[in-house]
């Protein structure tokens, strides 16, 4: 399997019915923007989402950011520094497990 691409949706003044994707075992990639925001919904069991940093310092990998989403909660995560952007221009997210986890990728602002 490969990392899945997640479309980033633009929230407009008229509103948005966001499209949620199931967490994928190989992770996700989405186009980065300075106003990117993730909305994660978790039901049974807690999850840890990892956001790998896309650059190195003196040849060393910089520690990834981790976010815990507790059982039966929702969490908004972001925005993300350009340092998280991978070589292909995307932001990557990974999961410790995928059961009962969905998320939407949103851009807040005007088109």
């Amino acid at each position: 399997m490969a990392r899945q691409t997640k479309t980033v949706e633009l929230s407009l003044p008229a509103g948005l019915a966001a499209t949620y994707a199931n967490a994928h075992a190989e992770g996700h990639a989405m186009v980065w923007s300075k106003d990117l925001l993730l909305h994660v919904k978790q039901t049974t069991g807690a999850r840890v989402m990892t956001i790998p940093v896309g650059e190195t310092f003196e040849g060393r990998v910089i520690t990834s950011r981790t976010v815990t989403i507790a059982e039966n909660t929702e969490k908004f995560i972001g925005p993300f520094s350009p340092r998280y952007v991978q070589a292909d221009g995307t932001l990557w997210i990974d999961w410790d497990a995928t059961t009962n986890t969905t998320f939407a990728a949103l851009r807040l602002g005007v088109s």
Side-chain angles (χ1 to χ4, degrees):
M1 285 193 203
R3 189 173 293 279
Q4 285 189 345
T5 300
K6 175 68 174 118
T7 300
V8 178
E9 300 174 280
L10 181 64
S11 176
L12 297 172
L16 170 70
T19 304
Y20 288 80
N22 292 322
H24 182 60
E26 299 297 320
H28 298 270
M30 64 218 66
V31 175
W32 175 87
S33 64
K34 65 182 179 181
D35 58 349
L36 176 64
L37 182 69
L38 304 177
H39 182 218
V40 181
K41 296 180 180 184
Q42 180 62 37
T43 57
T44 307
R47 278 303 152 261
V48 176
M49 182 178 77
T50 301
I51 305 106
V53 176
E55 62 182 42
T56 59
F57 177 73
E58 296 179 347
R60 295 175 294 176
V61 175
I62 301 169
T63 303
S64 299
R65 178 175 167 186
T66 59
V67 179
T68 300
I69 302 97
E71 181 174 26
N72 296 317
T73 62
E74 298 180 17
K75 193 173 267 194
F76 287 94
I77 303 163
F80 303 93
S81 162
R83 293 184 174 202
Y84 290 101
V85 179
Q86 302 298 315
D88 64 358
T90 62
L91 177 86
W92 289 0
I93 60 172
D94 298 310
W95 308 96
D96 67 333
T98 59
T99 308
N100 305 313
T101 308
T102 60
F103 80 102
L106 310 168
R107 277 191 57 220
L108 306 176
V110 277
S111 58

